[in-house]
């Protein structure tokens, strides 16, 4: 592997397993200093030990995206350290779980979008301080299934039985957030990308009963293959001038009609500001 990321600081959410872990491993092997922002130190410590044993530079940051207080503490720790962030990869995500976050938002939306919104907005000064910084939002092809965003429904427990319609909305939010970030931070030199990682044999399928799970996983790509598009968006010179776009299999792809609606992107941003009490500074 080339040592082309030496001296770069990368922050990855949900890097203790699955696609996030594979992404952290690839980027650390290329010389980056990687912050693994995860909710369980016990689950993350073995990953960090393994990265360090292979000569990587990795550290743990406590982050529970389902708690806005936890998101603020995590961002404060990075702001206190004051190191410019070259790449933020908003990778963590959950699917198929019902409930509310600690702050009363629909669990999937609150975790997959709102927690990442607050984390990103709070870290903007550190991203703006790194030349050509990038934000990579791991979305999903599921965003094509979303029929719209019912903002009132996001202040209540998951209404559906499967929580999959809510997952689609959260992943639509990831693409809309990316487009709005590009509009707001692009002029300040921070580039934003959204992506679908592929159908990946990660822990994401833990809700599916074991015999079926092991069979369907045979037809999926590996975590390392699933990390490829995140790594592409985080590092490739090819995407440098393609701010705000959506990628699948390391290639640009047209996201859904709703995901390309600038009014919806602005409305989501404004609601997210109202609900988190935070916006980008000047
Ligand atoms: N697998 C696929 O086929 C697929 C397809 C399309 C998109 N994606 C997207 O890819 C991303 C990575 O998913 P994956 O497949 O690697 O799934 P995974 O193996 O289930 O990993 C998800 C990661 O998110 C973390 N996470 C969940 N809730 C969190 C919270 N409240 N605070 C902080 N971290 C939290 C998990 O932490 P814990 O280990 O502590 O739970 C874990 O590290 C997700 O955004 C997912 O939506 C995956």
């Amino acid at each position: 592997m080339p040592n082309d990321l030496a001296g770069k600081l990368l922050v990855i959410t949900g890097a203790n397993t699955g696609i996030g872990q594979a992404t952290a491993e690839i980027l650390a092997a290329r010389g980056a200093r990687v912050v693994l922002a995860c909710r369980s130190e016990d689950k993350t410590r073995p990953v960090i030990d393994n990265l360090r044993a292979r000569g990587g530079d990795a550290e743990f940051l406590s982050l529970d995206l389902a708690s806005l207080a936890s998101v603020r503490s995590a961002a404060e720790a990075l702001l206190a350290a004051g190191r410019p962030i070259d790449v933020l990869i908003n990778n963590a995500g959950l699917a198929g779980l019902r409930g509310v976050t600690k702050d009363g938002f629909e669990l999937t939306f609150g975790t997959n979008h709102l927690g990442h919104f607050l984390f990103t907005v709070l870290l903007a000064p550190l991203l703006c301080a790194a030349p050509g910084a990038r934000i990579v939002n791991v979305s999903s092809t599921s965003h094509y299934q979303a029929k719209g965003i019912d903002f009132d429904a996001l202040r209540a427990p998951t209404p559906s039985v499967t929580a999959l319609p809510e997952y689609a909305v959260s992943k639509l939010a990831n693409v809309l957030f990316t487009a709005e970030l590009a509009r707001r931070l692009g002029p300040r030199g921070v580039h934003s990308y959204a992506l679908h990682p592929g159908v990946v044999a990660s822990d994401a399928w833990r809700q599916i009963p074991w015999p079926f799970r092991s069979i369907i996983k045979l037809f999926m790509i590996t975590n390392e293959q699933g990390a490829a598009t995140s790594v592409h968006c985080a590092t490739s010179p090819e995407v440098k001038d393609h701010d705000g776009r959506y990628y699948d299999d390391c290639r640009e792809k047209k996201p859904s009609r709703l995901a390309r609606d600038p009014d919806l992107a602005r409305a989501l941003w404004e609601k997210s500001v109202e609900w988190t009490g935070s916006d980008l500074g000047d």
Side-chain angles (χ1 to χ4, degrees):
M1 286 252 187
N3 203 34
D4 57 330
L5 300 179
K8 303 273 187 201
L9 181 68
L10 280 75
V11 179
I12 309 180
T13 68
N16 58 286
T17 187
I19 300 164
Q21 178 183 346
T23 306
E25 286 168 355
I26 294 166
L27 297 171
R30 286 171 57 177
R33 180 171 200 174
V34 183
V35 176
L36 291 85
C38 306
R39 61 178 163 174
S40 161
E41 183 158 12
D42 285 350
K43 285 202 235 169
T44 313
R45 196 49 66 193
V47 177
I48 290 181
D49 291 345
N50 186 36
L51 283 172
R52 287 183 180 159
R54 291 196 256 156
D57 188 351
E59 62 192 79
F60 172 74
L61 177 71
S62 178
L63 171 72
D64 180 356
L65 289 158
S67 157
L68 296 178
S70 168
V71 174
R72 281 197 191 91
S73 305
E76 275 161 21
L78 290 170
L79 288 164
R83 296 168 299 180
I85 297 173
D86 295 283
V87 182
L88 168 64
I89 304 181
N90 290 320
N91 162 83
L94 60 81
L97 293 177
R98 306 174 68 225
V100 280
T101 65
K102 298 223 166 55
D103 309 279
F105 295 97
E106 191 285 316
L107 183 63
T108 318
F109 174 85
T111 305
N112 296 1
H113 168 69
L114 205 60
H116 279 131
F117 173 88
L118 180 60
F119 197 45
T120 306
V121 159
L122 293 175
L123 294 182
L126 297 177
L127 289 155
C128 290
R134 298 186 185 191
I135 299 167
V136 178
N137 294 317
V138 181
S139 176
S140 168
T141 198
S142 298
H143 88 269
Y144 291 100
Q145 313 301 322
K147 309 265 185 288
I149 303 181
D150 175 353
F151 287 103
D152 292 337
L154 300 174
R155 308 276 343 225
T158 314
S160 80
V161 174
T162 60
L164 294 180
E166 290 76 15
Y167 179 71
V169 169
S170 78
K171 294 288 138 182
L172 170 64
N174 294 156
V175 187
L176 290 165
F177 178 41
T178 304
E180 196 63 23
L181 276 170
R183 277 189 276 278
R184 292 174 187 247
L185 283 181
R188 289 155 75 175
V190 179
H191 307 289
S192 301
Y193 313 91
L195 65 97
H196 169 60
V199 181
V200 182
S202 68
D203 289 344
W205 311 97
R206 56 173 81 70
Q207 310 298 335
I208 295 175
W210 171 71
F212 303 108
R213 187 169 68 231
S214 55
I215 293 164
I216 61 167
K217 276 187 158 187
L218 294 174
F219 300 95
M220 296 179 188
I221 60 174
T222 64
N223 288 318
E224 290 67 32
Q225 292 167 322
T229 306
S230 294
V231 171
H232 181 70
C233 291
T235 64
S236 172
E238 275 173 43
V239 304
K240 191 172 160 284
D241 300 320
H242 298 172
D243 218 4
R245 303 200 193 165
Y246 174 75
Y247 289 79
D248 184 345
D249 201 12
C250 298
R251 279 190 288 269
E252 192 184 331
K253 193 173 171 189
K254 199 178 197 181
S256 70
R257 185 186 54 78
L258 282 174
R260 289 181 277 120
D261 179 343
D263 295 333
L264 188 58
R266 197 174 313 110
L268 175 67
W269 186 282
E270 284 165 6
K271 273 288 170 201
S272 303
V273 168
E274 181 189 324
W275 288 340
T276 59
S278 291
D279 200 350
L280 295 172
D282 295 330

